[in-house]
Amino acid sequence: KSPEEIVEEFFKKHTEVTTEEQKQELPKVGKEFNFDRVKDYLINQRKVSSKIVNDLIDKKLLYADKNNNCVFVNKNKTFAFLRGTVANKKFVANKGKVDFLKYELNDNNSKNVFLFESVIDALSFKTSTGANGTYIVFNGSGMINRIDELQLHKYNNVYCCFDKDEQGEIFDDKIKNVLPNAIVLKPNLKDFNEDLINGNTTSSQYI
């Protein structure tokens, strides 16, 4: 098979969304102690800025469920990405109709857009750099086939901030095939959260 056929086969395999998944309801909001657990996980363990975490909670784009999971939701509340908070036991899940997560982390009306594979990486990058702009999270391999929905051409600069691995490179290529001027930014380690946790970044290192 040609390289193009291999890439298309990869994305087709990861694009299917079952009817059962689309019908799943979003988790109910937990109690105050559940929120405390989520804040502890994001701020103290993953080292995300407390201001960013609290802002997302205030905007109802992040909440805690009864199982202490971080629940990141899209603007229309039709999709949620769940991230567990138990140490050494990774739990992730999608609920609702799979969608992008989009955050306006923007203090100066910047027309830059930053693209990420995971929400933790997006929040880590903002914590590390303070870069203003629109932050978009793909939440899965299949979403790369829906990039037309993002209207990336309307932004002044498009930054590909995907992982430093084979899949990250595939994502970079997919974006640059559509927007040749897109800028690729790579973490020093595997992803931007690893950089943040290990102190392997400075505010001006990536941009």
Side-chain angles (χ1 to χ4, degrees), residues 12 15 49 58 75 96-97 125 138 143 146 160 177 200:
K12 183 178 181 181
T15 307
S49 160
D58 290 343
K75 184 178 180 179
K97 187 175 181 180
F125 186 89
F138 281 56
M143 299 301 289
R146 293 172 54 184
C160 299
N177 283 338
N200 206 350

Side-chain angles (χ1 to χ4, degrees), residues 82-93:
L82 279 62
R83 183 64 166 86
T85 58
V86 178
N88 302 318
K89 186 178 180 182
K90 184 176 180 178
F91 169 73
V92 295

Side-chain angles (χ1 to χ4, degrees), residues 19-143:
T19 303
E20 180 182 355
E21 181 181 14
Q22 292 182 0
K23 289 183 177 179
Q24 289 177 341
E25 294 183 358
L26 273 56
K28 294 182 179 179
V29 179
K31 305 295 185 181
E32 184 176 351
F33 67 85
N34 299 122
F35 276 81
D36 291 340
R37 180 69 188 94
V38 162
K39 288 182 180 181
D40 176 71
Y41 172 75
L42 292 173
I43 297 169
N44 296 323
Q45 296 185 45
R46 305 309 289 265
K47 306 302 180 184
V48 175
S49 160
S50 59
K51 180 181 184 305
I52 294 173
V53 172
N54 288 321
D55 282 351
L56 290 180
I57 291 174
D58 290 343
K59 294 175 181 177
K60 301 189 184 306
L61 295 173
L62 166 65
Y63 64 90
D65 67 9
K66 65 179 183 180
N67 296 317
N68 297 325
N69 293 314
C70 307
V71 183
F72 298 94
V73 297
N74 63 349
K75 184 178 180 179
N76 296 328
K77 307 298 187 292
T78 57
F79 167 68
F81 171 76
L82 279 62
R83 183 64 166 86
T85 58
V86 178
N88 302 318
K89 186 178 180 182
K90 184 176 180 178
F91 169 73
V92 295
N94 291 329
K95 299 290 185 180
K97 187 175 181 180
V98 178
D99 195 8
F100 299 97
L101 293 176
K102 184 176 180 181
Y103 303 116
E104 295 296 339
L105 303 178
N106 209 338
D107 297 328
N108 61 2
N109 296 317
S110 169
K111 292 294 288 182
N112 293 334
V113 62
F114 302 87
L115 310 178
F116 298 86
E117 292 179 53
S118 81
V119 64
I120 299 292
D121 288 342
L123 303 185
S124 298
F125 186 89
K126 176 64 175 178
T127 298
S128 299
T129 67
N132 286 304
T134 301
Y135 284 60
I136 297 177
V137 181
F138 281 56
N139 292 305
S141 304
M143 299 301 289

Side-chain angles (χ1 to χ4, degrees), residues 173-186:
D173 291 342
K174 198 80 170 180
I175 298 295
K176 288 183 74 67
N177 283 338
V178 178
L179 294 169
N181 293 327
I183 302 164
V184 175
L185 303 177
K186 287 296 179 188

